[in-house]
Amino acid sequence: MELTGLFFYLVSILIAGGIYSLLCLGLNIQWGMGGVFNAGIAGFFATGAYASAILTTSTSAKHIGGFDLPVLAGLLGAGIISGCVGWAVAKICIRLKSDYLAMASIGIAEILRLVIVNESWLTNGSLGLSGVPRPFAGLASGRTADIVFLVFIWVIVIAVFFFSQRLYDSPWGRSLRAIRDNEQSASAAGKDVEKFRIQTFAIGCAIMGIAGGLSAHYFRFLSPSATDPLLVTFLVWVMLIAGGSGNNRGAIVGALSIWFLWSVTEIFTNRLPPEWITRSSFVRMLLVGLLLQYVLQRFRAGIIPEKAPKLRYSEEE
Amino acid sequence: MIEFINFYLVPGFAIGSVYALGAVGISMIFGILRFAHFAHGDLMTVGVYGVFAATVVFPVNPFLLVPVGMALAIFAALFVDKVFYQPLRKLPTIYTVISSFGVALIFRSLIQIIGGSENRVFGSGIRPPLILFDTFRLSSLHVQAVTTTAVIAVVLHIFLSKSMTGRSMRAVADDPELAQISGLDTEKVVRWTWIIGAALAAIAGVFAGLDTSAHPNLGWNLLLPMFAAAILGGIGKPMGAMAGGFIIGLAEELSSYHWIGESALISPSYKTAVAFVIMIALLIFKPQGLFKGRLL
Amino acid sequence: MSVLLEVKDLTAGYGGPAVIEGISFDVFTNEIAVILGPNGAGKSTVIKTIFSLTNVLGGSVQLDGKTITDQKTSKLVTMGVSAVPQSHNVFPNLTVDENLDIGTYAAPPVDKMATREIILGLFPDLRDKLKQPSGELSGGQRQMVAIGRALMCEPTLLLLDEPTAGLSPAYLERIFDLLLDVRKTGVTILMVEQNARQALQIADHGHVFVNGKNFISGTGQELLADENVRNSFLGGAAS
Amino acid sequence: MRKLTTMIATAALLASTALVSAADTKVGILMDITGPIANFIPPIQNAANLAVKQVNAQGGLLDGSAIAVYGDTTGTSQGAVDAAQKLVNIENVPFVMGALMSGTTIAAAEAVFIPAGVVQLSPTATSPAMTDLKDNDLVYRIVPSDNYQGEILAKMVLAEGIKKVAVTFVNNDYGVGIGNTFIDAYKAAGGEVVAQAKHEEKKDSYRSELASLTKGGAEALVVVAYAGDSGGKIVKQAAEGGLFSRFIGTDGLRDDLLIKNVGAEILKTSFFSSPTSPGDNPAQGILHKAFNAEYGGGADKAFVDQTYDATFLTMLAIEKVGSADRSKMAIALRDVATAPGIKVGPGEWKKAKALLSEGKDIDYDGAGGAYEFDANGDVSGFIGKFVVDGDSYKQTEIVE
């Protein structure tokens, strides 16, 4: 294990961790601040990834677009398109109670996935889009390009982080938390609960879309196998819960630490004795499953719990 | 018409019976323990592999060994409930939902570590269909699946409406707080929920495994349509979930029938989407499900 | 008269700060006792605490001389305590008959059919609705099902949380009359009520709480006559 | 917990140093072990392990043993990139064999291997997109692109005198690639595709798809899918329903599992295309014999030949370079795989090692073909025609 290798591994963990941090920040706006249960994260992630990839690749005979736009425009487009999809979904589903909303959003994510796989005029179907550009590709080549991309990602993460912080403390954020903690009294206080929840959902989805776009630029190639839909949704939830929902710093810390654990388990399972070589990947999945139970039972309040006192209401009369 | 019955309607009922049996457990767990059990599909797989392991030891008709699979699934369900779900019961449901997702990973990886990840077939060769009146071609397995499901539905209905445990289960699904105030033994109800849910999941898994082949992703791949079925039938309504399962199964198959003109109404690639569109439409317009389940 | 239930210095809450502090009162065998107070006084909390549904922070509750503060709710049912919550007090998808049946599971009565007959005698309205899901009944009928369910295990103490909430005045009278009938069968009743005047008319004792603390206790007649109580809770002078 | 973690970590690292002595060389193997194609993996993993085992039994790699280090892509691009990063940066492998699915292969190449300058050799990735990668001559594969097998299959079907077919293909890169090429080539050569349907993987019933495929009176059904998933189910359900009696498949379907599943009787008139080696190639027989002796069967599973060959080639290239120097691997791979040179085949590590140490040029001809790389790192290869023979397959013809 040489040091430069270790360094570049760390870079890759931080890149993936940065993408997950964005997803977590998006989910934190929806769940941590607004109490909206989104279980279709992967759908909005994929929408953003395809939006950005289609906008920034060069023309192709096989699918729509190839607009050859700069990466930033692609990411902006990813945010807008995912946000709009999120808004439309919220418009239809937001009245549902939490668990039903979760089910509906899983269904919508699955429908989005099927559209991506089947509508090859739009997405080139299962063959995927290749040649997705990286931002500032001219600055560095080879592995050092990853460092440029790392900086690029974290600039965005930090920008979104400050945006979320502002949002959290703004009157809008305060109203949102009031709704989260007690919908009835908030609506009695004259808040348009539904409108607030739709806005939260759309903003969260837009951020998830940007995360998706970034992943497309990182892989440079996008196909329906970019992520396992249920797995990515689940991972992001674990990250937010582990980090401390309702807290933006917690969302980032949770994303980084869970992704780190997820990734390094393989290094350990690869050290199993040779008889286990064909099973080491399953041992890893087992380990991840058990580790998760441990996190849930021991870190249930999150590594960094929400600091601002919740707007408590008396449970009585 | 004959084509419609042979290739759309009957397969729809057959896959529907798999969904139906799986959805009963999901619906009851959702109703009584109040969380979406993501490990339910993998519980099915556990049952299938139990049967499979038994066929290696006792080479008889796999149907005779289904109780082994049921027992294994029940044991697995009770074990994970005790160790993983119970400590989280007082927390918001999202914790248990995530935990169940982790349990799904645990089940699947254990199956792969112990049983390997290859496809396994229960029996070789194709099963010639039963041909009735020279026109209806029915797979005997499908007939078995649908009749077994029907029998289970009747037995389950009697159990839920007549027995003390069954009524307690429905009571807890209806209103857990009131059930507690009425002094019902909620832990016993929870236990029975797992027992019934896991046993039916194992049976469903065996039908799915016999129809095609058994592999570690078998149950996981069936999970989403089963959720749709459970929601369709109304949360906490086992009989509703049964009906929901058949509706989803039929909708998936019938949506690609050439109702209008020559080509399929909806491309078969969108089969799964059909199930979800139905589910979402129902959630919006009739959130208690078709059979007045509990609103969460 | 012997004391059936003795509440002493009871302090309890829901995990946060205490909602009731140092509450004390006695309930005598075979009486109707009523708990009164303004909104937020902790009335329901008292009932819930007796029934072990809250966190007890201090003090004790004794039933027939035995401390029950640390017993589980399901155990209390077998000890002869039954409760009817204010709302959500029936299983809406279960039929009336099934609802009544549920009442017998925790503490089976000696003769189930006989008890059922007695209860249907008390609530004749329910007799021809037995096969109907109780969610389809009117509010008053639901209240009867709820009380009936609670009586099916032949309790010695019946706890009622605002049994008349949301009912029309006509039904309110009927429920109160029914409670008097229930008492005749030998059941002690402790209830929370908003309709203070009517409640005190049928109550043997009343206990008024304010801000989670004892305010005043006395017989129904004493409280009806008390000036403080009249001004604060009975809407001025007695008519 | 912290204590426990530290202990596990230390134990694991100790174990790793115990296993890998300084002279040993790690061989990176990237596979989609968990995830959607998990059920195809065991024989493929066995094939890779067999190659490593044979190398170690016959003198080892360089001055020590070869150690297979697996990365699991979890069947997703994201997992592939993560696993590839670990192979390149933590395990420090000189060369990577894999991945299997085109999506994971391309993502790992684009995001990791090409920037890091590590050569990658995929045994199975068939996507045409790989041909056009700007890969600095780092990405290779030993299966022909989808386009090739699709075109050959079209010729084969017409040569059988079949003029009207129905086509169904699985909706992933494999199915869509071959399926579309087949349809275009078949139509261009005068055949008629009377019905076609793309289908989703992992469903339990394909009867409705099949019902729509029967329209138009096709003489045979062309199935481009895997025997272990939708392909096997489609053949079985079509046979059970009496919808088709003749099936034409690709290498994904040509699997013993299919025969086990539906029985040889049904497949009497069926034939299959699969990448193969030219002429009367004994290499395949040798490999299959060794494989079945080691694992008790399964040599005929899809992609066993290619995976074994790719792993063997990987180690030949490392041996040729004489060290773990990543920058020389590409040239070495071309050297050992392509003619001219003294022929070596599966299992002949000792011979190859001796020749290389003498500085001779070698040319590996594997069980799955001769592997002559073109400028893009693709092979043209040969496609064989297979029919069912007992509970296995028999090659009857080779089409170039």
Side-chain angles (χ1 to χ4, degrees):
Chain A
M1 212 184 289
E2 50 167 322
L3 277 178
T4 41
L6 210 58
F7 172 76
F8 280 108
Y9 177 56
L10 198 68
V11 167
S12 78
I13 291 242
L14 287 175
I15 289 176
I19 292 171
Y20 274 111
S21 295
L22 281 176
L23 286 171
C24 262
L25 286 170
L27 183 64
N28 192 31
I29 290 177
Q30 295 179 338
W31 171 254
M33 289 163 70
V36 180
F37 195 157
N38 178 5
I41 299 169
F44 302 104
F45 178 82
T47 306
Y50 272 94
S52 196
I54 291 169
L55 288 173
T56 56
T57 44
S58 46
T59 326
S60 160
K62 297 187 194 108
H63 59 89
I64 195 172
F67 294 99
D68 228 346
L69 294 175
V71 173
L72 274 175
L75 290 176
L76 194 68
I80 291 170
I81 292 169
S82 281
C84 289
V85 173
W87 180 82
V89 168
K91 198 82 186 152
I92 305 171
C93 299
I94 206 74
R95 276 168 299 139
L96 297 173
K97 294 280 178 235
S98 63
D99 289 38
Y100 284 129
L101 180 61
M103 283 297 138
S105 54
I106 287 185
I108 284 162
E110 184 67 10
I111 292 170
L112 285 174
R113 186 188 72 82
L114 285 168
V115 169
I116 287 169
V117 177
N118 283 306
E119 300 306 316
S120 44
W121 58 271
L122 180 69
T123 61
N124 203 20
S126 46
L127 296 178
L129 305 169
S130 49
V132 185
R134 284 256 183 105
F136 307 109
L139 280 184
S141 64
R143 280 202 278 188
T144 34
D146 280 2
I147 301 172
V148 175
F149 193 62
L150 175 77
V151 173
F152 180 75
I153 279 198
W154 279 90
V155 167
I156 293 178
V157 173
I158 289 163
V160 170
F161 171 76
F162 281 114
F163 169 75
S164 306
Q165 288 293 76
R166 288 293 293 274
L167 218 53
Y168 190 82
D169 294 325
S170 68
W172 187 82
R174 260 177 283 146
S175 310
L176 208 54
R177 277 178 284 149
I179 293 170
R180 176 194 69 184
D181 290 335
N182 189 354
E183 196 174 318
Q184 269 118 30
S185 70
S187 79
K191 313 261 185 220
D192 185 347
V193 174
E194 207 164 283
K195 198 179 91 196
F196 270 103
R197 297 179 78 194
I198 291 175
Q199 287 168 348
T200 340
F201 198 83
I203 294 174
C205 288
I207 295 174
M208 290 170 184
I210 295 173
L214 284 170
S215 80
H217 296 294
Y218 178 46
F219 302 149
R220 288 200 179 105
F221 171 75
L222 187 63
S223 71
S225 67
T227 52
D228 179 344
L230 282 176
L231 193 67
V232 69
T233 302
F234 152 78
L235 255 185
V236 174
W237 270 104
V238 175
M239 288 164 172
L240 187 64
I241 298 287
S245 83
N247 184 312
N248 290 318
R249 250 179 228 99
I252 294 177
V253 170
L256 288 177
S257 46
I258 295 292
W259 177 248
F260 182 74
L261 280 178
W262 183 270
S263 177
V264 295
T265 43
E266 189 172 39
I267 301 175
F268 291 117
T269 49
N270 269 341
R271 303 271 176 299
L272 287 168
E275 308 80 277
W276 283 87
I277 204 162
T278 45
R279 305 206 155 147
S280 59
S281 301
F282 305 122
V283 174
R284 174 188 178 211
M285 282 295 151
L286 180 66
L287 215 62
V288 166
L290 290 172
L291 210 64
L292 174 74
Q293 306 298 342
Y294 182 82
V295 168
L296 283 175
Q297 299 204 357
R298 289 299 156 85
F299 294 102
R300 55 180 63 151
I303 301 166
I304 309 180
E306 185 176 13
K307 267 198 206 109
K310 286 191 182 175
L311 303 159
R312 282 234 164 253
Y313 63 101
S314 101
E315 295 188 44
E316 189 19 7
E317 285 155 319
Chain B
M1 190 58 203
I2 296 303
E3 176 206 355
F4 176 73
I5 292 170
N6 283 345
F7 302 116
Y8 294 88
L9 198 62
V10 175
F13 271 110
I15 187 70
S17 62
V18 172
Y19 292 158
L21 291 174
V24 169
I26 289 177
S27 178
M28 288 198 310
I29 294 165
F30 218 147
I32 289 169
L33 290 153
R34 308 183 121 178
F35 74 96
H37 189 224
F38 272 89
H40 211 73
D42 292 280
L43 202 55
M44 281 167 86
T45 325
V46 168
V48 177
Y49 274 74
V51 177
F52 206 87
T55 54
V56 175
V57 185
F58 312 101
V60 294
N61 186 333
F63 274 115
L64 297 175
L65 298 168
V66 169
V68 180
M70 288 160 74
L72 187 69
I74 290 169
F75 169 77
L78 291 175
F79 179 82
V80 295
D81 181 58
K82 181 113 195 108
V83 178
F84 298 132
Y85 301 152
Q86 207 172 27
L88 305 173
R89 213 158 273 167
K90 291 228 154 61
L91 298 168
T93 49
I94 177 71
Y95 287 87
T96 330
V97 171
I98 292 179
S99 174
S100 75
F101 205 107
V103 167
L105 280 184
I106 293 175
F107 279 160
R108 218 172 320 146
S109 52
L110 278 177
I111 289 165
Q112 283 166 324
I113 290 170
I114 299 166
S117 49
E118 306 91 330
N119 282 310
R120 294 170 184 275
V121 284
F122 279 98
S124 176
I126 63 156
R127 280 175 290 270
L130 307 168
I131 297 178
L132 302 175
F133 314 115
D134 281 344
T135 44
F136 297 115
R137 305 172 67 100
L138 303 173
S139 148
S140 52
L141 181 77
H142 291 173
V143 176
Q144 284 159 347
V146 175
T147 43
T148 311
T149 310
V151 170
I152 288 174
V154 172
V155 173
L156 190 67
H157 181 73
I158 294 170
F159 170 78
L160 288 170
S161 53
K162 300 286 178 233
S163 79
M164 206 166 131
T165 313
R167 284 182 176 180
S168 300
M169 288 173 74
R170 283 167 57 222
V172 175
D174 244 12
D175 193 330
E177 280 97 42
L178 184 61
Q180 194 197 357
I181 288 169
S182 310
L184 294 184
D185 186 348
T186 31
E187 280 308 309
K188 184 177 159 202
V189 165
V190 166
R191 231 167 18 246
W192 274 96
T193 307
W194 286 114
I195 290 173
I196 295 172
L200 297 190
I203 298 174
V206 172
F207 283 130
L210 281 174
D211 197 18
T212 56
S213 61
H215 54 93
N217 284 335
L218 172 96
W220 181 245
N221 294 344
L222 293 169
L223 186 70
L224 289 181
M226 293 193 308
F227 269 130
I231 298 228
L232 205 61
I235 291 308
K237 292 291 242 174
M239 304 319 286
M242 285 255 175
F246 282 111
I247 294 171
I248 295 287
L250 286 172
E252 284 194 354
E253 296 301 313
L254 300 189
S255 64
S256 49
Y257 185 68
H258 45 91
W259 295 100
I260 308 159
E262 278 297 294
S263 58
L265 181 65
I266 293 167
S267 154
S269 338
Y270 279 109
K271 267 186 189 178
T272 328
V274 171
F276 284 111
V277 169
I278 293 176
M279 180 187 90
I280 293 166
L282 191 88
L283 280 175
I284 292 161
F285 296 110
K286 209 164 181 304
Q288 311 101 310
L290 290 176
F291 302 91
K292 281 205 197 150
R294 199 184 68 225
L295 264 176
L296 289 176
Chain C
M1 271 202 286
S2 62
V3 174
L4 178 69
L5 187 80
E6 190 182 355
V7 177
K8 219 190 260 170
D9 290 331
L10 193 63
T11 301
Y14 297 94
V19 179
I20 52 170
E21 279 182 86
I23 295 276
S24 299
F25 62 94
D26 292 342
V27 177
F28 297 97
T29 305
N30 205 17
E31 71 162 353
I32 293 181
V34 60
I35 296 174
L36 303 170
N39 276 334
K43 302 187 298 284
S44 295
T45 309
V46 174
I47 294 263
K48 285 180 186 164
T49 307
I50 294 169
F51 211 48
S52 284
L53 294 168
T54 63
N55 298 339
V56 176
L57 304 170
S60 72
V61 180
Q62 292 195 320
L63 179 74
D64 248 349
K66 286 184 292 264
T67 302
I68 57 165
T69 331
D70 49 358
Q71 295 287 4
K72 274 195 193 155
T73 302
S74 51
K75 184 82 209 296
L76 289 175
V77 177
T78 63
M79 292 171 76
V81 186
S82 252
V84 178
Q86 180 184 340
S87 54
H88 300 290
N89 47 19
V90 295
F91 298 105
N93 281 311
L94 272 58
T95 62
V96 171
D97 206 9
E98 286 171 333
N99 263 284
L100 294 179
D101 195 39
I102 293 280
T104 65
Y105 289 177
V110 187
D111 184 347
K112 193 153 123 180
M113 288 325 282
T115 314
R116 184 166 167 271
E117 275 311 307
I118 292 170
I119 287 165
L120 289 178
L122 282 171
F123 308 112
D125 301 35
L126 299 181
R127 205 177 276 278
D128 46 335
K129 311 242 179 218
L130 282 173
K131 296 284 165 227
Q132 220 171 319
S134 46
E136 293 172 3
L137 302 183
S138 74
Q141 288 167 331
R142 275 211 295 270
Q143 196 64 44
M144 291 179 192
V145 174
I147 297 174
R149 193 213 76 237
L151 291 173
M152 278 299 282
C153 61
E154 298 178 338
T156 48
L157 176 63
L158 179 63
L159 305 172
L160 301 173
D161 193 352
E162 301 204 20
T164 63
L167 295 188
S168 67
Y171 248 119
L172 185 148
E173 300 264 325
R174 280 206 59 195
I175 294 285
F176 281 155
D177 286 347
L178 282 170
L179 291 181
L180 288 169
D181 291 342
V182 169
R183 186 178 64 166
K184 281 188 202 137
T185 64
V187 179
T188 309
I189 298 173
L190 173 62
M191 63 175 179
V192 170
E193 254 307 329
Q194 288 281 15
N195 298 304
R197 188 185 301 281
Q198 290 95 324
L200 284 174
Q201 272 156 6
I202 62 159
D204 299 291
H205 283 93
H207 309 279
V208 182
F209 302 133
V210 174
N211 289 332
K213 295 194 175 71
N214 275 80
F215 182 68
I216 189 169
S217 289
T219 64
Q221 295 311 315
E222 281 167 16
L223 291 182
L224 277 173
D226 187 281
E227 194 134 331
N228 254 335
V229 175
R230 279 221 314 250
N231 289 339
S232 313
F233 309 116
L234 303 178
S239 52
Chain D
M1 174 64 185
R2 190 161 297 153
K3 231 182 211 165
L4 188 70
T5 326
T6 332
M7 270 168 59
I8 294 173
T10 332
L13 286 174
L14 280 178
S16 72
T17 42
L19 273 173
V20 186
S21 78
D24 291 345
T25 308
K26 287 179 178 174
V27 180
I29 299 176
L30 189 61
M31 279 191 190
D32 316 282
I33 303 175
T34 56
I37 62 163
N39 39 339
F40 302 105
I41 297 295
I44 297 178
Q45 240 179 342
N46 283 342
N49 288 341
L50 178 67
V52 173
K53 196 170 170 181
Q54 287 182 341
V55 166
N56 287 335
Q58 298 180 32
L61 183 59
L62 301 178
D63 303 321
S65 303
I67 308 277
V69 184
Y70 280 93
D72 174 19
T73 68
T74 68
T76 64
S77 309
Q78 191 186 28
V81 170
D82 181 47
Q85 293 281 10
K86 281 175 275 194
L87 288 179
V88 166
N89 294 319
I90 301 287
E91 308 293 355
N92 227 8
V93 297
F95 195 128
V96 174
M97 200 295 291
L100 304 177
M101 292 158 72
S102 299
T104 54
T105 307
I106 299 175
E110 285 270 32
V112 186
F113 295 127
I114 298 172
V118 175
V119 176
Q120 180 189 16
L121 174 60
S122 170
T124 56
T126 48
S127 167
M130 274 178 72
T131 306
D132 307 323
L133 282 184
K134 291 183 197 66
D135 62 358
N136 304 329
D137 208 20
L138 289 167
V139 182
Y140 293 82
R141 60 174 157 187
I142 60 171
V143 276
S145 152
D146 287 331
N147 295 340
Y148 191 69
Q149 195 180 151
E151 280 163 22
I152 300 290
L153 187 62
K155 276 191 217 165
M156 247 184 231
V157 174
L158 284 168
E160 276 278 326
I162 301 172
K163 293 276 188 290
K164 282 163 96 177
V165 294
V167 184
T168 183
F169 50 92
V170 57
N171 193 1
N172 63 18
D173 49 6
Y174 175 81
V176 174
I178 299 184
N180 283 337
T181 329
F182 170 81
I183 291 168
D184 292 346
Y186 188 70
K187 281 182 184 160
E192 192 190 344
V193 176
V194 292
Q196 67 181 77
K198 187 161 70 170
H199 63 260
E200 279 296 290
E201 297 166 89
K202 299 180 202 166
K203 300 300 291 181
D204 278 335
S205 172
Y206 293 98
R207 294 177 183 87
S208 52
E209 283 93 335
L210 282 165
S212 68
L213 286 167
T214 51
K215 303 218 168 0
E219 296 165 57
L221 177 65
V222 178
V223 182
V224 188
Y226 300 109
D229 195 341
S230 55
K233 293 175 198 169
I234 284 173
V235 172
K236 188 173 180 182
Q237 289 168 7
E240 283 175 353
L243 295 171
F244 288 95
S245 55
R246 195 168 193 192
F247 302 94
I248 296 159
T250 52
D251 49 344
L253 197 62
R254 189 199 63 109
D255 183 329
D256 291 350
L257 185 73
L258 181 71
I259 305 177
K260 201 171 163 204
N261 211 338
V262 304
E265 190 62 20
I266 297 296
L267 301 169
K268 252 185 341 211
T269 55
S270 300
F271 61 91
F272 305 84
S273 66
S274 177
T276 186
S277 43
D280 184 24
N281 180 8
Q284 196 174 39
I286 293 169
L287 171 63
H288 286 192
K289 217 171 135 195
F291 189 96
N292 288 335
E294 181 77 27
Y295 302 108
D300 227 56
K301 298 278 182 198
F303 309 123
V304 163
D305 295 354
Q306 287 83 356
T307 307
Y308 174 90
D309 290 340
T311 318
F312 205 82
L313 275 170
T314 301
M315 289 183 288
L316 282 175
I318 297 172
E319 187 72 32
K320 167 92 184 179
V321 171
S323 72
D325 186 347
R326 287 173 179 171
S327 61
K328 295 180 182 153
M329 290 297 159
I331 298 164
L333 176 65
R334 284 181 181 276
D335 267 0
V336 296
T338 49
I342 302 163
K343 299 277 180 204
V344 288
E348 298 183 321
W349 179 257
K350 200 181 240 167
K351 176 178 161 197
K353 193 173 164 95
L355 288 168
L356 286 173
S357 72
E358 292 162 25
K360 299 252 172 61
D361 188 16
I362 59 168
D363 173 21
Y364 179 78
D365 282 0
Y371 310 133
E372 307 293 317
F373 293 111
D374 67 12
N376 294 319
D378 285 356
V379 292
S380 51
F382 300 84
I383 304 291
K385 181 175 163 189
F386 290 80
V387 295
V388 172
D389 177 31
D391 27 344
S392 189
Y393 296 87
K394 186 175 72 185
Q395 183 172 325
T396 56
E397 190 186 332
I398 288 171
V399 186
E400 192 171 350

